[in-house]
Amino acid sequence: MSFTGHPGTLHPLARRSRISIGVLAMLASLHAHGQEAAPAAAAATATNGTAAAATAADGKAPESVVVVTGFRASLNSALNTKKNSDGIVDVIKAEDIAKFPDANLAESLQRVPGVALARGDGGEGKQITVRGLNAGFTRVRINGIEGVAATGASDINGSTNRGRGFDFSVFASELFNSLEVRKTSEADIEEGSLGATVDLRTARPFDFKGRTFSIGGQESHNSLSGKTQPRVTALLSDRWDTGYGKVGALLSAAYSKRRATEEGYEAVELLSASNDGGFCSPVGVAPQNPADSAVKGITATTCGTGMARATDPAAYNNVMGRKDNYGGTVANPAAGSGAFAPRIPRYRRSQTDYQRTGITNSYQWRNADSELNLDLMYGKFANKRYDNYIEAISFGRNLGSNGKPQTSILDANFDQNGSWDYGKFNGVDVRTEGLLDVYTTKFRQHVLSGSHRFSDTVKADFMAGNSNSNLNEPMRATVQFDAPNVDGFSWDFRNNRNVPALNFGIDVADPANFQFAPQDAAGNVRGMFVGRYLDTTNKLQTQAVNLHWELNDHLTSHFGLSSRKNIWTNYEIGNSANAVSLPAGVTMADISRQISGFGSSLGGTGVPSSWAAVDLPKFLGVVNTECHCDAVPGSQYNYLAQTNRRVEEDIDALYGMVDFNYDFANITWRGNVGVRGADTKATSTAMINVQGQLQPNTGTKKYRDWLPAFNLTAQLPKDVFLRFSAGKTLSRPEYTDLAPNATVSPISQSVSIGNPNLDPIRANTYDLQAEWYYAKNAMISLGHFRKDIKSFIQSVNERVPYNTLGLPNELLILNGCSLTGAPICQTLPTTEVNVSRKVNTAGGPLKGWEFNLQAPFSFLPGFWSNFGLLANATRVKSKITYITRVDNPATPANEQLTQVADFTGLSPRTHNLTLYYEDAKFSARVSAAHRSSYIYAVLGDVNGADYTMVDGSTNIDMSLSYNLTPQLRLSLEGQNLTDTPLRYGRDTQRNDTLLYVHSGRSFVLGLNYKY
C-alpha cells in the first residue's frame, strides 16, 4: 500500500497506523509485568464483576453491590444488563467511582453500534445520531425524567440549538455511572423517540457497599490552544442502618475549565457568478454591467469611483460563459450561472473558554417493603466564544452595497469537475470581523421516586419530577472593520482543495488599512456592528404511577398512568447598523489587536500568519454598541422585529403490558407485549408585528396515538439469544416548526409562517437480532432493523388563499392602502399567496444491519489473556422524498420538484474498534470511531448544487491508567490523536469546500484517590 499526500505531510491512514502501532508497542513492553499480574487480574475480575447500577434478573434492586472497578469489569457488567433485557439495549457502565470510559458522554455513546457522533465547536462531542436518525429523533432521560439541554454554537454550526436535540457537552461525564441506549420500544417506556431512548443515571448511595469517598484532579492540554487547564471531581457517599430502615446520602461534584480553539477556512455559501447582479464587465463588453451611475462613479471605463474596468475580457468570458440550467428547471440560464464562487471566502480562528460545573445529590430510604429516592442535579455550562475572521465580502453583495457588480475578474481557472479553483479580482471589499458570544446553559432537575410491595405478587411505584434547562445569551456582539475596493484579491485552491491561499491585496496585519466609519456618499460600507440577546427555556414535568401484578410464575402484568407537560419558550431580539464616526483622535490601532501564529497546521501555502483583528473590549470602551441606547445610533434593539414564541405540550398516557416467561421445546421464551395510549395537546403561540403593535398568534393541535409494542427473546442452547421486536413509535415536531411566527410581504404576495398543525412523525419498527454469548464475558451479535416512516416534516412552498392562514388581515395593509376601498391593497384576504412553511410529507423506509463483538482474549496464555477487543459496524439505507422546489408557483401547472435521498445526518457506514489491555494495576486502550460521509442538506440542484455533504471521519482516542496503590490511580487520556478535521463540501460533482476546520489534539493527565 502506498500513501500519497502533500510534501512534508503524512497521509491520515499512515498517521493512524503509527499511533496504533505505538500504543501496541507500549503494551507489548509490559509483557513481563503482565505475566506476573495475570492471576491477580483474574481474581479482580471475579471480585468486581457486578454492576453498581445493575438490576437483578427478577427486577428487584440488589440489597448490596460491589462497585465496578476497571474497564473489563465495566464491560462485563454492561453485557449482563444487555443479556437480561427483553428489547435491544446497549449499555455503558462507569469503570470506577466517578470514572466514565470517556471524557465526554457523547464520545462514550459513539462506541455503541449504530450511534454516530456530531462534534461541536472545538471538536468536543455534542449530539448523536442513532441508526441514521439525528438528535431531534432521540430522547434523553436523566434519572427517568426526560431532559433537554441546549447550547450555543458558531454560525456555520447553526448558531444556537433551539430544538429537542440534546447537547451532551453540557454535562461532565463523571456525574453519571450508567448509560443505556434503548433501540426498541416497550409499552411502559415513554413515547417520543424514533431513533432511541437514551437513559443516563447518576450515582445513588445504595450503589455502594458503605461509606465511599473519591476525589480526582486532572490537567488537560490542547495542542492548538496551547492551554493547560484543570478538571476536578469528588464524590462522598454513605449509608446507615437505622430503626426505620436503611438510609443513604450521596453528594458528587465536577468542575472543569477548558479553552477550545478552532482554525480553518469557510466559504459561508457558494453562489453563482450571476447572483447579486453579476461581475463588472470589461471595457467594450456588451451589455455593460453595471449601468452608468453618477452617484457611484460608474461609467463605460470604470466600475465605480477610481475603479477602472478590466481591459482583457478573457477571464470574464471564461466565467460568464458558464451556464447551468439547474436540473432542467431554467429554460434560458443566465450568463455565469454555472460558475460558483465562495460568498465570503475567509479564514477563521475561534477560541471558546468554558467552565463546566455539575453537582448531584441523592438520598435513599429503604425497608423490607418500601423504598424512596430523591435525586437532585444541577449543571452549568458557561461559555465565552471569540470568533475572528479575515474575509472578502464583495462576492455576496449586490450593487446597493457596492458589491460584486463593482468587482472585476482578472483571472480565472476551473478544474476538471467545474470547480472555480483560482480567481483574481480588483475592486474587492475586505473585512476583519470580530464576534464575542457569551452564553450559559443552566440545568436543574429533581426527581422523587419510590415503590411499595403490597404482597409477594403486587407492587406499585411512582415517580414525580421536573427538569429545567435554560440557555441564556446576554451578549452576542459582532463588529466589522472594512477596507473597500481593494485590488489584487485572489483565492487559489490548486495546491490544497480544502484550505485555499487567500491573497487579500493589502497588508491585513496593518490596522491602518481598515476603516470604521459611516457609509460614504457613493454607497461604500465602511464597517458595521450587530448585536443579539437570546433566551431559550425548556421546562419538562412528569408524574407517573405504575402497578405490577405477578399473575403466576410465568406472567406479570403492568399498568401505568402518566402526565407530562413540556413548555418551550424562545425570545430573541437584535440590532444592526452601519458604522458610526469614531471620536476625534481615535485610530484603528487603538481599537484593534493582532491574530498571530495562524495557519501553520492547516497545510496550505499563502495563508496569512497574522491579521489586524477587532479588539472588542477596547472598541466598546470607545463606541459602546452594546449599550443598546439612543446615545449610539443603531444600537437600539428592534423590539417590533423580536422573536417571541412558546409551545406547551400536555401529554397524558396510559399503558398495559404483560411480561411472559415460558419454557417450550427446550427453549426459554420471554418478553413482553402491550400497548400505550397517548393524548397530546400542543398549544403554540408567537408574537407578530401588526401595524406597529405586537399581537399573539396562536394555534392548537390535538392528536391521540395507540402504540403497540412486542418484544420476544428466545434463549436457545449454548447461550444463543434470538430477539424480535415490533412496534409503533412517534417523534413529535420540533418546537421551532410549531411556533406560528409569521412574515408577510404584501408586495410579493408571499408569507413565511410556522405550522402549529403539524402531525408527529410516525413509524412502524421491526428488529431481529441474534446474540451468541460464546464464552464468559464475550458476545457476538448480528441484527437487522427496519423503520417504515409514515411521514416526514420539511419546508415547502404552496399557493393558498391568505384568509386560510389564520393571520390578521391588517398585515396586508401597506402605505395606507385599503382592504375595502381606494386605494385598494395589492394583496387582499382572498388573494392566493405563496406560503413557505413546514408540512407533513411522505416518509420512506429506513433499514440496516448491526454487527457487534465483545471478545476478551482470556483463552490466550499468560500475558496475552489480558488483552481484549471491542468491534461493531452498522450499515444503514433510507429513502426519503424531499420536496426541493415548487416550480413557478404563480402558474396553474405548479410543478413540484422532488429528490429521493438519505436522511440528513445519516452516515451509511459507521464502525468502531477498541483494543484494550488490563491487569491488576495497569489498563490501556486505543479506540477508533469512523463514520462515513453524510448529507447535511438536500438542495435539489435548484441553485446549482445537489447536496451539502460532510466528509467521513475517523477519530482515534487512547487511555492509560496505573494503580499506584489500591486507592490511588494515575491516568493519561488522549483525544482526537490524529487531529481529524471537520469538512463540509458543496455539490457531489464539484465538491467545493464550504468549511474546513480542525481543533487539535487533547491530552488529560489525572490522579484519583478513593476509599
Side-chain angles (χ1 to χ4, degrees):
M1 178 181 294
S2 63
F3 299 105
T4 58
H6 298 293
T9 65
L10 190 63
H11 191 281
L13 288 176
R15 292 198 301 269
R16 294 169 193 150
S17 299
R18 288 193 179 182
I19 290 171
S20 302
I21 291 170
V23 172
L24 293 176
M26 175 273 298
L27 296 177
S29 70
L30 300 167
H31 187 174
H33 169 75
Q35 287 179 317
E36 295 173 1
T45 301
T47 302
N48 300 317
T50 306
T55 301
D58 62 357
K60 301 176 183 178
E63 271 299 305
S64 63
V65 290
V66 180
V67 177
V68 168
T69 57
F71 184 65
R72 186 189 298 265
S74 70
L75 296 176
N76 299 342
S77 171
L79 202 61
N80 288 333
T81 304
K82 177 181 178 66
K83 186 176 183 179
N84 292 323
S85 66
D86 287 328
I88 296 176
V89 178
D90 289 291
V91 185
I92 300 175
K93 301 286 187 179
E95 297 179 40
D96 205 342
I97 304 166
K99 176 63 174 73
F100 224 69
D102 296 276
N104 179 280
L105 287 172
E107 292 171 12
S108 289
L109 277 165
Q110 72 177 338
R111 316 291 180 211
V112 171
V115 175
L117 180 62
R119 296 182 180 269
D121 299 320
E124 186 172 84
K126 183 176 182 179
Q127 293 184 331
I128 62 170
T129 67
V130 182
R131 292 176 166 179
L133 296 167
N134 63 41
F137 295 102
T138 297
R139 293 176 60 253
V140 176
R141 302 191 303 182
I142 301 176
N143 294 324
I145 296 290
E146 184 177 0
V148 175
T151 67
S154 60
D155 288 339
I156 197 73
N157 285 318
S159 176
T160 304
N161 177 6
R162 300 170 178 86
R164 298 181 189 265
F166 191 91
D167 288 347
F168 288 89
S169 54
V170 170
F171 300 103
S173 61
E174 292 89 347
L175 299 177
F176 301 92
N177 70 352
S178 72
L179 179 160
E180 292 187 4
V181 180
R182 184 178 298 275
K183 299 175 182 176
T184 56
S185 60
E186 295 185 13
D188 63 338
I189 302 297
E190 297 169 357
E191 79 295 334
S193 167
L194 203 63
T197 297
V198 177
D199 276 303
L200 310 176
R201 193 165 88 71
T202 58
R204 287 175 173 171
F206 288 172
D207 292 342
F208 307 105
K209 296 176 65 175
R211 178 175 297 172
T212 302
F213 174 72
S214 173
I215 187 168
Q218 296 177 322
E219 285 288 330
S220 63
H221 179 83
N222 179 267
S223 61
L224 189 58
S225 69
K227 194 81 172 176
T228 300
Q229 293 180 294
R231 183 170 180 158
V232 181
T233 61
L235 180 144
L236 176 62
S237 177
D238 207 348
R239 50 189 292 177
W240 306 269
D241 290 329
T242 72
Y244 303 98
K246 299 179 186 295
V247 178
L250 179 147
L251 176 67
S252 72
Y255 172 81
S256 63
K257 292 180 67 176
R258 180 176 180 240
R259 171 168 291 180
T261 301
E262 277 191 343
E263 287 188 354
Y265 162 80
E266 297 177 6
V268 180
E269 182 59 86
L270 274 299
L271 299 177
S272 69
S274 58
N275 264 65
D276 295 312
F279 287 92
C280 183
S281 58
V283 175
V285 171
Q288 176 186 308
N289 186 55
D292 290 355
S293 169
V295 173
K296 294 183 178 294
I298 302 172
T299 68
T301 58
T302 61
C303 302
T305 303
M307 303 165 61
R309 291 180 184 264
T311 56
D312 183 355
Y316 179 84
N317 290 337
N318 184 17
V319 172
M320 304 309 288
R322 296 172 180 269
K323 298 181 179 181
D324 190 329
N325 65 8
Y326 300 158
T329 62
V330 178
N332 298 299
S337 57
F340 296 89
R343 177 174 173 261
I344 306 179
R346 65 188 188 184
Y347 298 124
R348 166 164 71 96
R349 172 180 283 174
S350 291
Q351 176 183 298
T352 303
D353 290 318
Y354 71 63
Q355 297 184 52
R356 183 159 47 201
T357 304
I359 300 173
T360 72
N361 203 194
S362 181
Y363 303 92
Q364 288 185 284
W365 169 83
R366 179 188 296 166
N367 64 16
D369 296 315
S370 302
E371 181 175 343
L372 282 175
N373 309 292
L374 177 62
D375 297 302
L376 308 174
M377 184 174 183
Y378 170 80
K380 181 180 179 182
F381 189 50
N383 294 262
K384 288 185 178 181
R385 193 184 75 252
Y386 304 84
D387 290 347
N388 285 102
Y389 306 92
I390 185 69
E391 59 198 10
I393 58 174
S394 294
F395 305 100
R397 281 180 160 179
N398 57 30
L399 184 60
S401 300
N402 285 13
K404 191 159 68 175
Q406 291 189 326
T407 298
S408 295
I409 305 173
L410 303 182
D411 199 358
N413 187 77
F414 295 82
D415 67 15
Q416 67 274 15
N417 296 318
S419 181
W420 193 351
D421 60 3
Y422 175 73
K424 187 175 182 180
F425 311 87
N426 279 347
V428 174
D429 300 334
V430 174
R431 167 173 287 175
T432 180
E433 178 176 351
L435 179 151
L436 172 59
D437 198 357
V438 180
Y439 55 93
T440 299
T441 300
K442 292 183 179 180
F443 182 91
R444 299 176 179 87
Q445 185 195 70
H446 66 264
V447 182
L448 178 65
S449 60
S451 64
H452 178 73
R453 185 176 296 277
F454 295 98
S455 69
D456 289 342
T457 59
V458 178
K459 179 181 177 182
D461 62 65
F462 77 94
M463 180 174 60
N466 64 57
S467 66
N468 185 324
S469 175
N470 173 254
L471 169 61
N472 183 261
E473 183 187 52
M475 178 180 179
R476 193 175 199 266
T478 302
V479 176
Q480 301 154 343
F481 301 159
D482 287 354
N485 306 326
V486 172
D487 291 342
F489 172 84
S490 66
W491 70 68
D492 192 346
F493 288 90
R494 291 173 296 184
N495 293 322
N496 188 332
R497 74 182 183 97
N498 296 322
V499 181
L502 299 181
N503 184 338
F504 290 93
I506 56 173
D507 180 5
V508 292
D510 185 356
N513 285 326
F514 296 95
Q515 305 173 40
F516 187 82
Q519 184 172 333
D520 63 21
N524 290 303
V525 177
R526 299 190 289 173
M528 297 184 68
F529 60 91
V530 181
R532 186 183 77 178
Y533 171 87
L534 175 145
D535 188 274
T536 295
T537 299
N538 288 274
K539 296 181 179 180
L540 299 95
Q541 302 173 1
T542 299
Q543 296 84 37
V545 60
N546 305 284
L547 179 66
H548 314 277
W549 181 16
E550 186 177 328
L551 302 175
N552 54 46
D553 291 342
H554 304 290
L555 295 173
T556 302
S557 61
H558 308 270
F559 306 93
L561 299 170
S562 67
S563 176
R564 291 136 62 198
K565 176 176 286 189
N566 304 335
I567 300 175
W568 172 82
T569 59
N570 174 233
Y571 178 80
E572 299 177 43
I573 191 167
N575 68 285
S576 63
N578 286 336
V580 297
S581 298
L582 294 175
V586 175
T587 68
M588 296 303 296
D590 296 330
I591 54 175
S592 63
R593 63 188 180 92
Q594 286 291 316
I595 296 292
S596 58
F598 180 83
S600 60
S601 58
L602 289 176
T605 57
V607 177
S609 61
S610 63
W611 72 81
V614 177
D615 191 319
L616 198 59
K618 291 181 181 178
F619 174 83
L620 294 178
V622 174
V623 183
N624 187 12
T625 56
E626 284 298 299
C627 74
H628 306 295
C629 60
D630 294 338
V632 181
S635 71
Q636 305 94 328
Y637 281 134
N638 187 350
Y639 286 94
L640 291 177
Q642 67 180 258
T643 297
N644 193 339
R645 46 194 176 173
R646 170 190 170 101
V647 177
E648 179 177 325
E649 288 178 333
D650 292 288
I651 306 166
D652 295 320
L654 57 82
Y655 76 90
M657 185 177 77
V658 175
D659 290 342
F660 55 86
N661 190 327
Y662 287 96
D663 290 329
F664 177 72
N666 294 324
I667 297 173
T668 298
W669 304 84
R670 60 179 170 87
N672 57 64
V673 60
V675 63
R676 184 177 189 87
D679 277 341
T680 304
K681 178 183 177 182
T683 303
S684 309
T685 304
M687 304 299 291
I688 58 176
N689 178 9
V690 181
Q691 298 294 301
Q693 298 290 326
L694 291 175
Q695 297 183 12
N697 187 36
T698 302
T700 301
K701 174 72 173 180
K702 297 180 181 180
Y703 49 92
R704 174 179 293 174
D705 287 275
W706 293 101
L707 305 169
F710 173 65
N711 294 276
L712 175 65
T713 297
Q715 186 171 345
L716 306 175
K718 299 187 182 299
D719 256 353
V720 174
F721 288 67
L722 187 63
R723 304 184 192 271
F724 173 74
S725 296
K728 288 187 176 181
T729 61
L730 64 83
S731 182
R732 293 184 172 89
E734 290 285 3
Y735 299 122
T736 51
D737 297 338
L738 290 170
N741 45 292
T743 302
V744 178
S745 176
I747 295 176
S748 63
Q749 297 186 338
S750 63
V751 177
S752 176
I753 187 173
N755 189 352
N757 294 310
L758 287 171
D759 285 316
I761 298 175
R762 299 181 172 97
N764 296 336
T765 67
Y766 310 92
D767 285 80
L768 180 64
Q769 182 163 295
E771 301 165 4
W772 179 26
Y773 297 84
Y774 62 90
K776 184 179 179 181
N777 304 322
M779 182 209 67
I780 185 170
S781 70
L782 180 65
H784 176 67
F785 57 88
R786 181 183 176 93
K787 299 178 187 290
D788 291 329
I789 299 169
K790 302 302 181 182
S791 69
F792 193 61
I793 295 175
Q794 57 184 293
S795 295
V796 301
N797 292 322
E798 54 186 340
R799 291 191 67 82
V800 299
Y802 176 85
N803 57 15
T804 65
L805 300 176
L807 295 173
N809 291 339
E810 289 80 3
L811 292 174
L812 303 177
I813 299 174
L814 188 66
N815 299 326
C817 69
S818 172
L819 298 176
T820 58
I824 194 72
C825 290
Q826 183 172 342
T827 303
L828 300 175
T830 57
T831 302
E832 280 197 352
V833 293
N834 185 27
V835 180
S836 174
R837 58 182 170 183
K838 294 292 181 75
V839 300
N840 292 97
T841 61
L846 181 149
K847 56 186 178 180
W849 294 88
E850 285 181 351
F851 167 80
N852 193 13
L853 172 66
Q854 181 169 320
F857 295 167
S858 52
F859 57 90
L860 295 177
F863 156 75
W864 297 103
S865 65
N866 297 325
F867 281 93
L869 177 70
L870 306 176
N872 64 69
T874 305
R875 300 291 182 267
V876 187
K877 292 183 179 180
S878 67
K879 290 185 178 180
I880 296 296
T881 301
Y882 292 91
I883 299 173
T884 55
R885 178 175 172 177
V886 176
D887 188 30
N888 193 12
T891 66
N894 203 19
E895 180 185 3
Q896 195 174 74
L897 304 182
T898 63
Q899 185 168 349
V900 176
D902 282 339
F903 263 98
T904 54
L906 182 153
S907 289
R909 298 178 305 281
T910 61
H911 57 258
N912 300 278
L913 185 69
T914 298
L915 178 64
Y916 67 89
Y917 172 93
E918 186 173 67
D919 60 33
K921 287 190 173 184
F922 182 75
S923 177
R925 66 182 178 273
V926 58
S927 299
H930 172 79
R931 67 178 301 185
S932 62
S933 65
Y934 59 92
I935 298 172
Y936 186 80
V938 178
L939 307 175
D941 203 32
V942 294
N943 287 309
D946 51 5
Y947 304 106
T948 298
M949 302 289 296
V950 180
D951 282 6
S953 61
T954 301
N955 286 81
I956 298 179
D957 305 323
M958 55 79 69
S959 176
L960 307 172
S961 67
Y962 184 78
N963 294 327
L964 300 172
T965 72
Q967 291 78 35
L968 190 62
R969 182 184 71 243
L970 179 68
S971 63
L972 174 65
E973 298 175 355
Q975 289 107 35
N976 193 22
L977 297 181
T978 55
D979 192 10
T980 301
L982 173 67
R983 182 182 182 274
Y984 295 177
R986 173 62 57 81
D987 192 71
T988 52
Q989 177 179 325
R990 298 191 311 274
N991 196 19
D992 293 321
T993 298
L994 189 65
L995 167 76
Y996 182 93
V997 293
H998 76 119
S999 53
R1001 303 167 180 83
S1002 294
F1003 297 91
V1004 181
L1005 180 65
L1007 197 64
N1008 179 269
Y1009 176 80
K1010 68 175 182 179
Y1011 74 83

